[in-house]
Amino acid sequence: MEQSRATSKPAAAPGAPRVTRDAVLDTAMRLVRESGTEGLSMRKLAAELGVAVTSIYWHVGNRDALVDELVDRVLRDMGTIRAAGSTPADRIVSVALASRRMILDRPHLIGLVRERGLDALLMLPARRALVREFAAAGLHGARAALAVQAVQFQVAGFIMLERALTGHEQEQAAVQAWLSEVAEGGDPELAAGLNVNADPDELFEVAVRGLVESLVREV
């Protein structure tokens, strides 16, 4: 395979820029970070590198093969998730926090994985860690499977919801009227708190900790 490539590699014109496979992949990854998966085309990639499109094809194949290479990079970069904490609940919560942060920190790169229909692989590092930690907490079999899935649904659902609600600083008029009633009913601090965007990091930890502690408590 490599030998046939070597014999068919296009000859570089005098003064043409040299390009390597790593340079192609690095530039492709940057384009995805900057513009999402829709911003990645072979022509644009070649233009960024200052080479002919044929040179890109020689190094990485077609766009599908290129995306597969980038997906492998993303998944390797995500690596493994290691739990931290002194109690079973703390350790499981730490896995959920790390899983959410890992996905939020890679919004455009995650799009690559979804484009290839490999969404389940995004959750695999967290799933492995959760299985270990729930087993250490005493959950096994069907009950452990349900617990792992509950935490992962919490992570995925929270991420989807917080993205959908980003920028909604004011509630609708009907809700504002209700909040006024809450304040006048004796809890103005509650009304004020409900009228502003919650800190998503704090909100997520409160939600996932409540879930995890209820699961572990039943052991």
Side-chain angles (χ1 to χ4, degrees):
M1 180 71 173
E2 292 298 326
Q3 185 175 0
S4 64
R5 274 194 171 192
T7 57
S8 60
K9 182 177 180 179
R18 290 181 174 274
V19 65
T20 64
R21 179 182 178 79
D22 283 341
V24 171
L25 293 173
D26 290 343
T27 303
M29 193 74 84
R30 175 175 59 78
L31 290 176
V32 173
R33 288 194 186 98
E34 293 173 352
S35 307
T37 55
E38 64 277 6
L40 179 62
S41 71
M42 305 303 271
R43 289 188 179 278
K44 185 172 183 179
L45 183 55
E48 287 285 321
L49 290 163
V51 298
V53 175
T54 52
S55 180
I56 303 297
Y57 281 112
W58 186 87
H59 281 290
V60 295
N62 61 20
R63 187 182 184 281
D64 285 346
L66 171 62
V67 170
D68 286 341
E69 290 277 0
L70 297 181
V71 167
D72 286 343
R73 275 196 170 195
V74 171
L75 295 176
R76 285 198 304 270
D77 179 51
M78 292 175 73
T80 58
I81 294 178
R82 302 189 183 280
S86 57
T87 68
D90 285 344
R91 292 178 64 81
I92 295 167
V93 168
S94 76
V95 172
L97 294 174
S99 177
R100 170 177 169 267
R101 180 48 52 194
M102 186 178 285
I103 294 172
L104 288 179
D105 287 348
R106 299 165 173 80
H108 297 312
L109 302 183
I110 298 307
L112 287 173
V113 180
R114 290 180 173 163
E115 180 178 316
R116 305 305 288 163
L118 300 174
D119 299 55
L121 293 181
L122 293 177
M123 306 301 285
L124 188 56
R127 176 164 290 198
R128 288 172 173 157
L130 288 170
V131 166
R132 289 194 302 268
E133 295 306 321
F134 274 116
L139 268 71
H140 304 281
R143 183 60 185 167
L146 187 62
V148 169
Q149 291 171 340
V151 173
Q152 292 205 291
F153 267 72
Q154 177 82 354
V155 173
F158 191 93
I159 290 172
M160 290 179 62
L161 185 59
E162 68 180 305
R163 285 178 173 172
L165 295 179
T166 298
H168 290 198
E169 297 180 358
Q170 293 290 334
E171 299 281 5
Q172 295 180 357
V175 178
Q176 286 292 326
W178 171 72
L179 291 174
S180 296
E181 292 177 6
V182 172
E184 293 167 1
D187 201 338
E189 184 179 354
L190 172 61
L194 291 174
N195 196 36
V196 297
N197 283 338
D199 175 6
D201 294 337
E202 180 182 9
L203 186 58
F204 177 72
E205 184 164 0
V206 168
V208 77
R209 183 171 293 279
L211 171 64
V212 168
E213 288 180 350
S214 69
L215 293 167
V216 173
R217 192 183 305 124
E218 295 180 11
V219 178

